[in-house]
Amino acid sequence: MAYTTADGRQQLLDTVAEAIDEVGGALAALGAAYEELDERSADELEATLFRPVQAAYGRAQRTHSGFATRVGLEGRTFTQPEPGSRALGARGFIDDAVEFIGTADDTIITLQDSLLPVEVGDPEVRAGLASVREILDHLPDRAAELLRV
């Protein structure tokens, strides 16, 4: 399917926004898990999962807004969602966060595989996406390790 450069750029921004929303969901779930834990476990959760997810969230937002500015498209303001109510306790919230992280990572992988960042993007957006993926990549394993303890 053919598309214009403007359409491709908007599609790229929309897809990055989808990933950002998923990372925001992970942040909300981890924040809720934090509230359920004792102080030592909460500190471990913060260091192992929350801070890296927060870094990925910020990096993804900067990637989105920077690209929108560079190509003259409308940016978007992101708000962190409330954690879902389906989780039961800290383990449930952490499981939810891992699911959000996986979805965000899959979204970025699919975007990168589409070559849209190469065709209508720029080096900064490609580097930003790679950076976010690098942060997210190890988090499911870290979550599993945290839950084992």
Side-chain angles (χ1 to χ4, degrees):
M1 177 179 168
Y3 57 84
T4 66
T5 299
D7 291 340
R9 288 176 173 165
Q10 188 61 56
Q11 182 181 348
L12 190 151
L13 281 174
D14 292 346
T15 304
V16 172
E18 289 173 26
I20 293 169
D21 288 339
E22 293 295 325
V23 176
L27 271 179
L30 291 171
Y34 182 92
E35 297 299 324
E36 298 283 326
L37 296 171
D38 62 78
E39 186 175 338
R40 186 196 64 75
S41 299
D43 289 346
E44 182 70 21
L45 172 84
E46 181 178 6
T48 304
L49 296 174
F50 188 84
R51 281 192 214 133
V53 171
Q54 190 174 42
Y57 190 63
R59 178 67 173 147
Q61 286 181 336
R62 285 188 304 278
T63 298
H64 184 276
S65 66
F67 182 67
T69 300
R70 285 190 303 278
V71 299
L73 292 173
E74 184 75 26
R76 180 178 151 198
T77 302
F78 295 91
T79 57
Q80 190 175 318
E82 293 297 316
S85 60
R86 63 186 175 100
L88 297 173
R91 177 176 289 276
F93 286 121
I94 293 170
D95 287 342
D96 285 353
V98 168
E99 189 174 320
F100 282 119
I101 290 165
T103 302
D105 197 38
D106 289 345
T107 300
I108 295 170
I109 289 169
T110 301
L111 178 60
Q112 289 173 320
D113 287 349
S114 75
L115 296 180
L116 206 54
V118 173
E119 293 171 352
V120 299
D122 57 23
E124 291 88 352
V125 79
R126 291 190 297 274
L129 293 172
S131 175
V132 171
R133 283 213 49 234
E134 187 176 317
I135 294 168
L136 297 178
D137 189 43
H138 304 289
L139 294 180
D141 292 336
R142 289 181 183 171
E145 188 176 312
L146 181 70
L147 289 173
R148 273 194 299 270
V149 179

